[in-house]
Amino acid sequence: MSVTLNAHQFGRLLERTAGHIADEFIPALHGVRLEADDTFLYAIASDRYTLAVARYRHHGLDGEPFARTLPARALASLRRWAADQPGNTPVTVSLAENRLRFTAPQGEVGVGVDDGQEFFGWRGVLRGVIDQIPAEDGTTSPFPALDTRLLARWTDADHYLRLRVTADRQGALLVGEDFIGAQMPVRTRHDGFDTGLADDLDQVRTLWDGALAGAPAAAMPDSLPAARRTPHDAARTVPETAKGLLRQTLSSTHDLIEESSTSPTAVAAHASAGVTAWMAFRYLEALHHADPKLAARIVTETAEQLDDGAIGEFAHDAATAAGHDPNAWHEEFETKRAKQQTTPDEKPAATTSEGERAPATASPALAANG
């Protein structure tokens, strides 16, 4: 009985759920539950007040579905092992007697588990949260109190999560990409202890009426000052970056057509810009689908590098680290440019993103698609 997925996604399953495990006084919840069915490998964790479930579509189930709980004591070393593997390395999770094995081409880790340890019916709990019906008596609105210390546990789940609340005493639902969870509300008055929190929105209005009286209602994004940006500032979010890349692709394609009969040099420049922007969009789209949180971090880091202005130095260092010789590339470029300058009657040919020469008369559609 085994399933296979890549090392990065396996590490993400543990990362998204490890913060929700219970302490050692609840042995059945002191770890991360791994469950495999015909389609997904699930990671589940709960401390009784929060419940987090992440899943990933594996490469195939060999044998029967299985479920075992990884003990908390093994999680730190297992997460380090997964992080040490190249992200696309296949990791096979297999079940043996009282043991889970995690096998990659560069090594194997075995973790002792209790084959007889039971786990609670997490599917039924989440079904109950999803099917909750909001109060519709017209007298109260859902206004649950949430423990902010527990809110911090959702940081590793996703960059964005959808939140649904239905009533004061019902769990809040949190949903991300291949992720679902719930957080139980706290009682504002329990065992005679008064937290001082308002119990409903009418009390909030009463308490704050003096401070807010006379102010017209307004939407938060429309009323607060936005950050000042120049047209040259790099985009810092995935949607904004994707939009910019698509606009650049379309703009370059349009300019390619406009310049196709007048300037071979401009044709080459527009073709290269359009092809590069389209490639970057497709790569960003794939990264965002595989790991939205990683995509957001890469976009932010790239924006900082672009704003720094030293991208030539960054590219030189990256090329050297990858085993290339950027100095040889520069010499090749200078030699080619010198040759073009000595033969001014010869029209330079456009180049693709891979450096292959293409006729300057290539069709705009072909050039735009690389």
Side-chain angles (χ1 to χ4, degrees):
M1 293 177 283
S2 65
V3 294
T4 301
L5 67 167
N6 69 52
H8 171 72
Q9 292 296 346
F10 174 64
R12 279 287 287 151
L13 287 177
L14 300 181
E15 177 187 11
R16 300 172 92 182
T17 52
H20 298 265
I21 65 174
D23 58 35
E24 65 274 16
F25 298 108
I26 311 178
L29 300 180
H30 191 49
V32 172
R33 185 77 164 180
L34 294 183
E35 296 191 8
D37 61 21
D38 291 336
T39 307
F40 295 101
L41 177 64
Y42 298 86
I44 310 101
S46 176
D47 54 10
R48 295 187 70 249
Y49 303 102
T50 65
L51 165 60
V53 180
R55 70 180 185 184
Y56 185 72
R57 187 181 297 272
H58 54 66
H59 299 166
L61 175 66
D62 182 9
E64 297 295 324
F66 63 89
R68 293 293 187 277
T69 299
L70 282 170
R73 64 179 182 276
L75 287 176
S77 59
L78 186 58
R79 291 175 67 181
R80 285 195 298 270
W81 177 84
D84 288 341
Q85 311 301 316
N88 63 346
T89 298
V91 171
T92 299
V93 183
S94 57
L95 180 64
E97 185 177 357
N98 292 318
R99 185 168 294 271
L100 278 173
R101 293 190 178 278
F102 305 91
T103 307
Q106 299 178 357
E108 179 180 278
V109 174
V111 177
V113 297
D114 182 355
D115 288 346
Q117 187 174 50
E118 296 183 356
F119 201 69
F120 72 100
W122 59 271
R123 290 176 173 83
V125 172
L126 288 173
R127 169 58 64 187
V129 175
I130 292 175
D131 291 345
Q132 288 169 182
I133 300 175
E136 298 179 353
D137 56 9
T139 59
T140 61
S141 299
F143 198 44
L146 299 178
D147 189 328
T148 57
R149 294 167 297 181
L150 302 183
L151 289 175
R153 300 183 181 182
W154 303 104
T155 301
D156 292 326
D158 257 332
H159 195 70
Y160 299 105
L161 291 177
R162 288 193 178 275
L163 173 67
R164 178 179 184 254
V165 295
T166 57
D168 287 3
R169 301 298 176 90
Q170 301 294 332
L173 180 69
L174 298 99
V175 180
E177 186 172 357
D178 276 329
F179 182 89
I180 188 170
Q183 179 166 332
M184 301 303 108
V186 296
R187 297 180 181 180
T188 56
R189 289 178 174 83
H190 182 62
D191 295 334
F193 176 70
D194 189 348
T195 63
L197 292 177
D199 286 331
D200 55 50
L201 291 176
D202 288 337
Q203 289 187 25
V204 175
R205 294 188 182 96
T206 301
L207 291 170
W208 289 90
D209 183 66
L212 307 181
M220 190 170 180
D222 298 333
S223 303
L224 298 177
R228 298 183 62 182
R229 290 187 55 190
T230 70
H232 306 292
D233 287 342
R236 291 180 177 270
T237 67
V238 171
E240 189 179 14
T241 302
K243 176 182 177 182
L245 292 172
L246 289 174
R247 290 188 64 175
Q248 178 63 54
T249 302
L250 295 174
S251 175
S252 297
T253 303
H254 177 269
D255 292 339
L256 177 67
I257 297 174
E258 293 294 318
E259 300 284 354
S260 60
S261 61
T262 58
S263 173
T265 302
V267 167
H270 293 313
S272 178
V275 167
T276 302
W278 180 247
M279 291 170 62
F281 169 75
R282 292 304 307 273
Y283 296 155
L284 177 61
E285 185 181 41
L287 177 59
H288 179 66
H289 178 74
D291 189 346
K293 190 174 182 179
L294 178 61
R297 179 169 65 83
I298 294 300
V299 164
T300 301
E301 292 177 356
T302 303
E304 293 173 352
Q305 293 173 340
L306 293 174
D307 290 340
D308 180 272
I311 57 174
E313 296 179 14
F314 296 139
H316 186 281
D317 293 343
T320 302
H324 305 299
D325 186 355
N327 294 324
W329 292 347
H330 179 70
E331 293 173 1
E332 180 183 353
F333 170 75
E334 291 294 338
T335 300
K336 184 181 298 184
R337 184 169 66 173
K339 181 179 180 181
Q340 291 175 345
Q341 290 175 346
T342 59
T343 56
D345 294 333
E346 181 182 351
K347 292 184 178 181
T351 59
T352 68
S353 60
E354 298 295 332
E356 299 175 352
R357 296 175 64 83
T361 56
S363 71
L366 177 60
N369 285 281

